[in-house]
Amino acid sequence: MIHTTGLARRFHSGRQTVHAVRGVDIDVAPGEVVGLLGPNGAGKSTTLRMLTTLLAPTAGSATVAGYDIRTDPLAVRRRIGSIGQGNGSFDGLRTREELQAQGRFYGLDRHTARRRADELLQRLQLSGQADRDVAKLSGGQRRRLDVAMGLIHRPPLLFLDEPSAGLDPHSRSNLWEHVTGMRAEHGTTIVMTTHYLEEVDAAAQRVIIIDHGRIIAEGTPDQLKSKVSGDLVTVELADPGDRSAAATIAAGIPTAHEVAPGRDAVSFRVSHGDTVTPEIVRALDAAGIRLRGTQVQRPTLDDVFLSLTGRSLREDHG
Amino acid sequence: MSLLTDTGAVFVRDTRSKLRTPWPYMESMADPLLLLMLFGPLVAALGGIPGIPAGNTMQWFVPGMLVLMVFTTSAFIGAGFQEERGSGALERMLVTPVNRFALLAGRVLRVVVVVVIQAAVVALATVPFGLRLPPIATPLALLQLAVLAAALGTVSLAVGLALKSSYAFWGVVSLVYTPIVVTSGALLPMELAPGWLFAISRVNPLAHAVEGQRALFAADVTSTAALLGFAVPLLFGLVGAVLGTQSMRRVRV
Ligand SMILES: Nc1ncnc2c1ncn2[C@@H]1O[C@H](COP(=O)(O)OP(=O)(O)O)[C@@H](O)[C@H]1O
Ligand SMILES: [Mg+2]
């Protein structure tokens, strides 16, 4: 569905050159859901803008939905839907009008545009808002209208740039319900970026981690997590005085690392935390150390990014 | 033909949003009528000014007002386009296969339609005050105003595209506004102007439009002024269309 080689883009602002994207190779198979993950300024939007023909690459090549983005942008545009970082509807127009207009821009005749607009409004629970000025919609409703505008021509490939940024958790999960519902029905290929790690985790089959315009890792969320850190195991001690003894025992477990004695707990990273937990419980028990409880935390994608770059993805979230 | 249907789609969308808040259009129609009522008598009272035919001041004054009205309706649409660009609205249109030129043409078509209606209303409203509407020349005058609106609208969009910030756009507007209005000769005849000022008025498409309108309202259909009233705005608009289409191809959101 997507194939890029060495796709790159630089910007000149004043005397400075910004290398926003430094040669990325991306392959996306039909039906896949791929998440682009990376801190602010990593080059995610720039990558999407090249793939959606909004921006010409300065190097490299890409075929999207079967067509070259440089030589046949029109064919690409006909086959993709794209939901940009900002809201696509404009104040002063009504919900249905904007959706219908978008259908017309995709070349649908008036009748089809109207019919599909009504269908999508229904699907995305916007029927009640059909004749309202888009300025009066809530953030979640307005974003769902954006999704509807990206789907009006039934594209096989959909790009979403931070679709849920700025939404409250309820609207976010509602939006995703709709997006994943559409996908289940039509098998739409999806490429998305998001700030919310849980969303990539839940929705994406494959994650591409981008930093400073380069791909630094990719794989399924589980692959990424197991490749880098390990699970975080925490044993809570009944007696804080036992912590150094407990830490020594924990350090003795194969593959255990980052052993960190806390005030009344000891945590460490280890591969296969689930099977290790009974082991350490037995060992501590044998040493006469009493426990209050244990916890196993699977690594998050943020841990993955942290271990790859030494920086947290969450730092620059605002 | 995708250019035509796309232009139609852009036109419909643009018209819907603008006609829902029609106050700016009412205002720009009230403007010439107010000038007519308040400034017209002053001009008439001056009497015997070179350039103003003795007798019917209306026939001289209304054409200028119509041109100014066209100017206020069509010359600032570039700012609205900038707003759409600043929001995600232009981006969402640019990801579609919609014809790039149609994104401009549909908007220009909207001001053309508005201007023709406005001009017809204002012209009819001034008939009771003594304006005569010569049979063949009046439709031609409306057509000429339509051409002017298209030209000004196109150039405005091109400028709006070239200047990314609305500050820059309104900066340019406030810089050129007074010279354009004064040297258009709509309020006082350019025959009164010293040579240098008259020279400036020759490169002002509005001045040619005003003179063209006056010739047509005097039923002088075959005069050079009537012809230049078509030709100069047309040329101006073509330059705008070329520049606008070029920046439309390169536009980044
Ligand atoms: N039009 C532009 N002109 C100059 N620099 C830009 C432009 N667009 C993006 N950049 C720069 O390119 C880099 C990547 O930006 P972007 O792709 O928006 O990142 P992300 O979406 O991952 O947050 C940033 O440093 C950004 O400032
Ligand atoms: Mg971005």
Side-chain angles (χ1 to χ4, degrees), chain B residues 12 59 63 87-88 133 135 157 169 172 174 185 202 211 225-226 239 246:
Chain B
V12 168
Q59 216 63 22
S87 78
L133 299 175
L157 289 175
F169 184 87
V172 169
S174 61
R202 291 306 89 193
E211 285 155 25
V239 172
Q246 270 179 3

Side-chain angles (χ1 to χ4, degrees), chain A residues 40-41 44-46 85 161-162 193:
Chain A
N40 267 332
K44 304 181 296 293
S45 295
T46 305
Q85 228 172 319
D161 197 357
E162 313 257 355
T193 74

Side-chain angles (χ1 to χ4, degrees), chain B residues 1-222:
Chain B
M1 177 75 191
S2 89
L3 176 59
L4 289 185
T5 50
D6 286 358
T7 301
V10 175
F11 170 77
V12 168
R13 174 176 177 276
D14 204 44
T15 306
R16 280 199 171 129
S17 77
K18 293 302 183 303
L19 290 193
R20 204 156 283 142
T21 45
W23 305 118
Y25 296 132
M26 302 292 171
E27 215 175 274
S28 70
M29 282 200 294
D31 243 18
L33 292 174
L34 281 173
L35 274 170
L36 217 59
M37 282 195 295
L38 303 176
F39 197 71
L42 284 176
V43 175
L46 283 173
I49 301 178
I52 304 184
N56 196 343
T57 326
M58 277 290 157
Q59 216 63 22
W60 179 87
F61 201 66
V62 172
M65 295 304 99
L66 291 176
V67 169
L68 288 189
M69 181 184 68
V70 171
F71 180 63
T72 34
T73 296
S74 54
F76 311 122
I77 63 170
F81 200 42
Q82 283 186 322
E83 269 179 52
E84 292 208 57
R85 184 181 183 181
S87 78
L90 183 60
E91 169 168 339
R92 146 234 160 179
M93 293 178 223
L94 290 176
V95 296
T96 75
V98 72
N99 186 298
R100 277 20 190 180
F101 185 68
L103 288 175
L104 302 180
R107 286 173 170 77
V108 169
L109 188 61
R110 190 253 306 168
V111 290
V112 167
V113 170
V114 168
V115 152
V116 169
I117 295 170
Q118 283 181 322
V121 170
V122 170
L124 288 173
T126 40
V127 167
F129 300 95
L131 182 75
R132 278 177 294 103
L133 299 175
I136 297 171
T138 304
L140 278 179
L142 282 185
L143 180 67
Q144 195 175 73
L145 291 175
V147 171
L148 178 65
L152 292 173
T154 308
V155 170
S156 180
L157 289 175
V159 172
L161 270 173
L163 308 173
K164 213 170 172 181
S165 95
S166 68
Y167 289 111
F169 184 87
W170 291 114
V172 169
V173 166
S174 61
L175 208 65
V176 299
Y177 186 85
T178 307
I180 284 185
V181 170
V182 170
T183 64
S184 74
L187 295 169
L188 288 169
M190 286 321 287
E191 280 87 344
L192 295 174
W196 62 270
L197 193 59
F198 186 78
I200 293 178
S201 79
R202 291 306 89 193
V203 295
N204 180 357
L206 248 55
H208 295 280
V210 167
E211 285 155 25
Q213 286 291 297
R214 284 184 183 142
L216 289 171
F217 274 90
D220 201 356
V221 177
T222 53

Side-chain angles (χ1 to χ4, degrees), chain A residues 9 49 52-56 74 77-78 80 82 84-94 97-102 104-106 110 149, chain B residues 5-6 8-10 12-14 16-18 20 80 83-85 87-100 103 251-253:
Chain A
R9 171 75 201 199
R49 284 182 169 184
T52 54
T53 76
L54 288 174
L55 205 58
L74 218 55
R77 287 177 200 140
R78 287 201 187 94
I80 63 169
S82 175
Q85 228 172 319
N87 279 310
S89 56
F90 196 63
D91 294 2
L93 281 142
R94 295 177 179 171
E97 288 173 354
E98 275 292 52
L99 190 48
Q100 249 174 283
Q102 190 74 348
R104 301 281 286 141
F105 296 156
Y106 274 110
R110 211 174 308 246
M149 287 197 288
Chain B
T5 50
D6 286 358
V10 175
V12 168
R13 174 176 177 276
D14 204 44
R16 280 199 171 129
S17 77
K18 293 302 183 303
R20 204 156 283 142
E83 269 179 52
E84 292 208 57
R85 184 181 183 181
S87 78
L90 183 60
E91 169 168 339
R92 146 234 160 179
M93 293 178 223
L94 290 176
V95 296
T96 75
V98 72
N99 186 298
R100 277 20 190 180
L103 288 175
V251 72
R252 300 289 169 247
V253 279

